[in-house]
Amino acid sequence: MNWIAGLFMALTISSLAHAQEARPQKVDDLMRLLQDPEVRSWLEKAPGPSSEAVQETDAGLATWEAATRTRIDGVVAAIPRIPGEVLATAARTRADALSNGKLPLFAVFLGLTAIGLFAERMFARSRRGAEGLQERLLAIGVFAAAMGALFFAFGWPARPGIVLLASLLALVAYRTISALLDASVLASSVHIRAKVFAGVAVVAVTVASLGRPLSVDPATTEAISFCFSIALLALAVEGAVSSSGRTLATRISLCLAFVVIWTLWCVGLHGLFWLGVYVMALPRVLRFTGRAAAEAFPSEPNSMKRVLLVRGSRAVVVVAAAAWLALVWRFDPSSLVHNNPVVAAVSYGLLKSVVVLLLADLAWHLARSWIDRRLTVSSGVVGDASQAARQGRLRTLLPIFRNVLAVVVAVVAGLIVLAELGVQIGPLIAGAGIFGVALGFGSQTLVKDVISGVFYMLDDAFRVGEYIQAKSYKGTVEGFSLRSVRLRHHRGPVFTVPFGELGAVENMSRDWVIDKFRVNVSYDADIEKARKLAKKIGAELQADPELGPLFIQPLKMKGVEEFGDYGIVLSFAMTTLPGMQTYIRRKAYAKIREAFKENGIDFATPSVQVGGEDRDGAAAAAAAIRTQQSKAVAAEGQLT
């Protein structure tokens, strides 16, 4: 409620001030002379301020003080004349309407409002009950268009026409403000107070704007504006006091802030008045604007449309505030900006700097949104080898490009801001170049790391997600900076290695990998049967829906690798995608064990034969052999 009240009070008081001020023709002539190039060049070459100029400045301050006091006294004196002036003006307006054969203004106003509401209801039916802030604003636009078309379709007398038009605009403005308040997250009591405040503010602006067209006494118009400003101040203070969610010190501070801002308007310091308004209301307005804009794309957090709408809407609000402040300074003769060229240069330079920073912020967030979206897409895309390589290269280079772009945008925006503030950036750039050369000589290791990283990227030596080994460092590449690479070891530790320390890089995740392993079988194993079983197992693994896409060449038995101490060593090999060979090898081990076991192929196991000196046993064996030989000879003799 507090920031809403402050903003509405500022807008209303400013509108009242501009409605009641009529700038003399002499001031316009003076402004045109000041814009003339010859006059400006002569003023720039004029001598500096002297004692007479100081006296003129003091005289100007005294004149401002006297004018302010006179205006306040005139407002106080005109307050008793307000009822009579309002009644006389209403009578003149009614007489003009009736004399031209028109209905009373109130009846015409009700009729136009009824037609506008009917058009709005038809539009809402055509939208089939769609809800949201955008729909409400569109409906209010249809309401205003219907009333405006009917208003301009007929001719109206001067006074009744301007009163009717101002009333219709006030109604549209109040409905628009109510829609925005309904979209904001406010408590019920605060919501009601905000709408009451908005209604009073709209009526105050409308009445103040009608003073000059209806030939009301300027002093009376200013007095009416002053009374409305007091009412708005009272509502704002009441809202600050009744806010239970704030401490007592915060409430007192808000009340004092409202009083100070109102006092600045009363004494004619419009520039300081708007600065105070921006300090209080602009942060809340920016948050509300960003939240309302983000509701248009709730499911696309990183889309460029969402970033453009959210950041763009906030930038439009800030630029509009800066432009309004510049206009206030330009058309306020008592402003310090007109009296001091240095203050004027710095003030307008700050406003331009705000615009530059907003543009830089918008460009940076759009670029970062595009890069983040590309990184998200590249990490989720699965395709052929060439597409995977291209996406991996993007995941590697885009984070580095994002960091470089952030530095470039910040440096360029900073230089432009300094230039707008009047700083000569040419010597600054030259000095920065000399400092850069000296820094390069003093930090050769850093320069070496950065340049090495650039060439690693150009050579496409590794990408994010690949497993590499360089010297004693190995791990999966997780990310980069300008001078180092971050490696995640397969056991968990993270290495941050400068590019200059890498040297030769062994990339274990590029394109394909050949995995070889050995199996020991016994000497009496059937080698040919083992080869056929290995071929069958390779076909089964390749036919598996989970493992098949990971193969480039199936599992095969290469043959006998060597004769070991305990058995025959068989060699197996397969070609797979990088990083998947270990997973597939475990599956192959399990299948080889089951197949060999079922087909009688034994794995080699270490065995040792130990012999002793058994002489009696050896003698008995020799005697048995001799007995058998003698029996055989005797049998042969009998046959002959």
Side-chain angles (χ1 to χ4, degrees):
M1 173 63 187
N2 299 325
W3 67 272
I4 296 175
L7 180 60
F8 279 137
M9 185 175 70
L11 293 172
T12 305
I13 291 175
S14 177
S15 302
L16 299 178
H18 287 287
Q20 68 196 19
E21 291 179 359
R23 191 169 58 186
Q25 183 65 31
K26 295 181 180 180
V27 176
D28 294 334
D29 296 337
L30 178 60
M31 295 297 295
R32 283 195 295 270
L33 285 175
L34 291 176
Q35 295 297 326
D36 187 82
E38 296 181 359
V39 175
R40 294 181 65 178
S41 61
W42 182 85
L43 289 175
E44 291 176 357
K45 297 178 182 178
S50 59
S51 60
E52 296 179 358
V54 174
Q55 293 178 0
E56 290 179 359
T57 303
D58 295 338
L61 184 61
T63 303
W64 170 80
E65 189 270 337
T68 303
R69 187 180 298 276
T70 302
R71 184 164 63 88
I72 294 175
D73 293 340
V75 167
V76 174
I79 289 177
R81 301 197 302 268
I82 291 177
E85 194 72 29
V86 170
L87 292 176
T89 303
R92 290 195 303 266
T93 305
R94 179 180 177 83
D96 289 346
L98 296 177
S99 63
N100 288 274
K102 302 295 182 181
L103 295 175
L105 288 181
F106 186 72
V108 176
F109 177 77
L110 291 180
L112 293 177
T113 303
I115 294 174
L117 291 175
F118 176 77
E120 181 181 353
R121 179 62 61 87
M122 293 297 101
F123 173 78
R125 287 185 178 179
S126 66
R127 304 290 288 186
R128 296 181 179 180
E131 298 180 355
L133 178 61
Q134 296 180 353
E135 295 296 329
R136 290 201 60 183
L137 294 179
L138 286 175
I140 294 173
V142 172
F143 170 77
M147 292 193 306
L150 193 61
F151 173 81
F152 288 105
F154 298 95
W156 305 94
R159 286 193 180 93
I162 193 65
V163 172
L164 187 58
L165 180 60
S167 301
L168 295 177
L169 291 176
L171 179 60
V172 173
Y174 176 73
R175 293 200 61 195
T176 303
I177 295 171
S178 298
L180 295 175
L181 291 175
D182 292 337
S184 61
V185 182
L186 296 175
S188 59
S189 59
V190 177
H191 189 267
I192 296 174
R193 288 190 179 92
K195 285 194 172 183
V196 171
F197 190 93
V200 176
V202 170
V203 172
V205 173
T206 305
V207 172
S209 62
L210 289 175
R212 188 175 181 182
L214 297 181
S215 301
V216 179
D217 182 20
T220 305
T221 303
E222 192 170 356
I224 295 174
S225 301
F226 183 77
C227 293
F228 272 115
S229 69
I230 293 178
L232 293 173
L233 177 62
L235 289 174
V237 171
E238 190 273 337
V241 172
S242 61
S243 58
S244 58
R246 292 184 172 88
T247 61
L248 179 61
T250 304
R251 299 178 195 176
I252 296 175
S253 300
L254 286 174
C255 295
L256 292 177
F258 288 144
V259 173
V260 169
I261 292 174
W262 177 79
T263 305
L264 291 174
W265 172 78
C266 290
V267 298
L269 299 177
H270 297 152
L272 296 177
F273 164 76
W274 279 106
L275 286 176
V277 171
Y278 291 162
V279 169
M280 292 191 63
L282 198 56
R284 299 289 187 91
V285 173
L286 291 177
R287 283 197 291 270
F288 172 75
T289 304
R291 185 172 62 253
E295 292 177 355
F297 301 95
S299 60
E300 302 177 12
N302 290 328
S303 64
M304 295 188 67
K305 293 181 180 179
R306 177 189 174 100
V307 174
L308 182 61
L309 186 60
V310 173
R311 295 283 171 178
S313 60
R314 292 176 179 175
V316 168
V317 171
V318 177
V319 169
W324 178 255
L325 187 59
L327 289 175
V328 170
W329 285 342
R330 183 180 182 87
F331 296 110
D332 186 8
S334 62
S335 175
L336 186 61
V337 175
H338 289 282
N339 300 328
N340 194 324
V342 177
V343 175
V346 173
S347 301
Y348 287 111
L350 288 174
L351 294 180
K352 295 177 183 178
S353 301
V354 169
V355 177
V356 171
L357 292 177
L358 287 173
L359 293 176
D361 177 76
L362 181 61
W364 159 242
H365 279 88
L366 287 175
R368 191 181 69 172
S369 172
W370 179 83
I371 292 173
D372 292 342
R373 192 171 65 257
R374 293 292 299 175
L375 289 173
T376 303
V377 171
S378 62
S379 62
V381 172
V382 177
D384 54 5
S386 61
Q387 186 177 5
R390 183 167 58 254
Q391 298 300 334
R393 191 175 181 87
L394 285 176
R395 290 196 304 271
T396 300
L397 296 177
L398 285 179
I400 298 178
F401 175 72
R402 180 176 55 192
N403 296 335
V404 173
L405 183 63
V407 174
V408 171
V409 170
V411 171
V412 172
L415 291 176
I416 295 177
V417 167
L418 291 177
E420 293 296 337
L421 293 177
V423 179
Q424 297 295 329
I425 62 174
L428 185 63
I429 295 176
I434 297 173
F435 177 76
V437 173
L439 183 63
F441 281 109
S443 57
Q444 296 182 11
T445 303
L446 178 62
V447 175
K448 175 186 176 182
D449 294 336
V450 174
I451 296 177
S452 298
V454 171
F455 282 102
Y456 276 124
M457 297 301 102
L458 293 177
D459 294 338
D460 194 20
F462 44 82
R463 304 165 188 158
V464 174
E466 293 183 339
Y467 193 91
I468 66 172
Q469 181 172 355
K471 294 183 180 179
S472 60
Y473 306 104
K474 59 182 177 180
T476 303
V477 180
E478 285 194 343
F480 301 90
S481 65
L482 290 177
R483 62 171 294 272
S484 63
V485 58
R486 188 169 63 254
L487 302 179
R488 172 75 66 174
H489 193 269
H490 58 272
R491 293 182 179 176
V494 178
F495 299 102
T496 301
V497 187
F499 286 116
E501 298 293 331
L502 287 178
V505 176
E506 180 182 358
N507 194 325
M508 302 179 182
S509 302
R510 185 63 58 87
D511 301 331
W512 47 268
V513 61
I514 296 177
D515 187 63
K516 295 182 179 180
F517 57 91
R518 297 178 179 183
V519 175
N520 295 336
V521 297
S522 61
Y523 276 105
D524 58 353
D526 189 345
I527 305 299
E528 182 62 22
K529 181 185 289 188
R531 186 187 65 80
K532 293 179 180 180
L533 290 174
K535 184 177 181 180
K536 181 181 178 181
I537 292 171
E540 291 178 357
L541 291 174
Q542 197 168 16
D544 187 271
E546 180 183 359
L547 302 177
L550 306 178
F551 276 99
I552 297 177
Q553 290 185 4
L555 175 67
K556 294 181 181 179
M557 193 184 84
K558 296 299 183 179
V560 178
E561 186 71 21
E562 63 181 6
F563 293 102
D565 295 333
Y566 309 108
I568 302 174
V569 180
L570 303 181
S571 176
F572 296 82
M574 58 183 174
T575 305
T576 65
L577 295 179
M580 304 305 299
Q581 65 273 16
T582 305
Y583 175 67
I584 298 175
R585 189 196 312 145
R586 296 191 185 101
K587 299 290 185 179
Y589 277 153
K591 287 185 174 293
I592 289 173
R593 177 186 178 279
E594 296 297 331
F596 281 14
K597 184 178 179 181
E598 292 175 358
N599 290 272
I601 300 176
D602 297 328
F603 292 96
T605 56
S607 61
V608 179
Q609 183 175 359
V610 180
E613 297 183 357
D614 190 358
R615 297 181 179 180
D616 295 336
I625 292 173
R626 285 195 298 270
T627 302
Q628 290 178 358
Q629 290 178 352
S630 62
K631 288 181 179 180
V633 172
E636 289 178 358
Q638 290 177 359
L639 290 175
T640 56

